[in-house]
Amino acid sequence: MGETIVLPAQSPRRTELEALGWAVIARSFGAQLDAERIDEQRLRALVVGAPGSVRALAAADVDAVLALDRATIGDYPGSVATQHEPLDRDGATPSAARRAFGAFRTDGGLVAMTFVSVDGAEAETDFTVVDRAERGRGLGVAVKAASVLELSAAGVTRFRTGGSADNAAIQRANVALGYVRDEEWVTLAPDGR
């Protein structure tokens, strides 16, 4: 990818760059969910309503995580602000600071996952992905709901997430979970490509 700049959508610098011929090539967003707004009953229903099973991922799931990551690496919309770097074994291994949740088919195959960085009472979703053949079945929202439920029970009070403005599925999932969109970003390139 050539030279790009990522700025808040309302930044005065955006206007300056556009006047110089730069163009918006991608849009992204941020959203927040605070503990007092969590509807536990609704989130539990989203988890239970997903086909198969949803649970926290562990070190024993690393091979399945890596396989799903390889199968979906080209599926992240957007640009530099929402890129997903392929996972290595360390990045695919959940830890206390980097929790992960997955959805499994009845045959045990991992079909959706979300990874969340945790820092004290704050958590930020790193990424959420669903196998192409399984999309549209509520699995992305289910793994995100599971992460919010488990982490809020462990003391997390502020959840952040974001992604490409072109990703309608994740935006719908965030609304279903109660996230409130509070940031908009643009990626600009000098020649609009």
Side-chain angles (χ1 to χ4, degrees), residues 126-142:
D126 295 329
F127 69 91
T128 303
V129 70
V130 179
D131 181 89
R132 284 181 210 118
E134 302 289 340
R135 291 182 185 153
R137 302 180 67 204
L139 296 166
V141 72

Side-chain angles (χ1 to χ4, degrees), residues 38-121:
I38 294 172
D39 182 342
E40 290 185 21
Q41 184 176 2
R42 176 165 172 68
L43 270 57
R44 280 192 185 87
L46 292 168
V47 172
V48 172
S53 63
V54 177
R55 65 169 171 79
L57 296 175
D61 298 307
V62 169
D63 289 334
V65 167
L66 289 170
L68 182 56
D69 190 58
R70 279 191 303 274
T72 58
I73 196 66
D75 295 351
Y76 293 85
S79 187
V80 65
T82 56
Q83 284 181 342
H84 171 70
E85 294 297 321
L87 295 174
D88 60 16
R89 231 172 157 70
D90 286 339
T93 304
S95 67
R98 192 155 187 264
R99 301 292 305 278
F101 299 82
F104 296 82
R105 289 188 306 254
T106 54
D107 68 5
L110 178 65
V111 293
M113 61 186 172
T114 191
F115 274 70
V116 182
S117 293
V118 180
D119 184 6

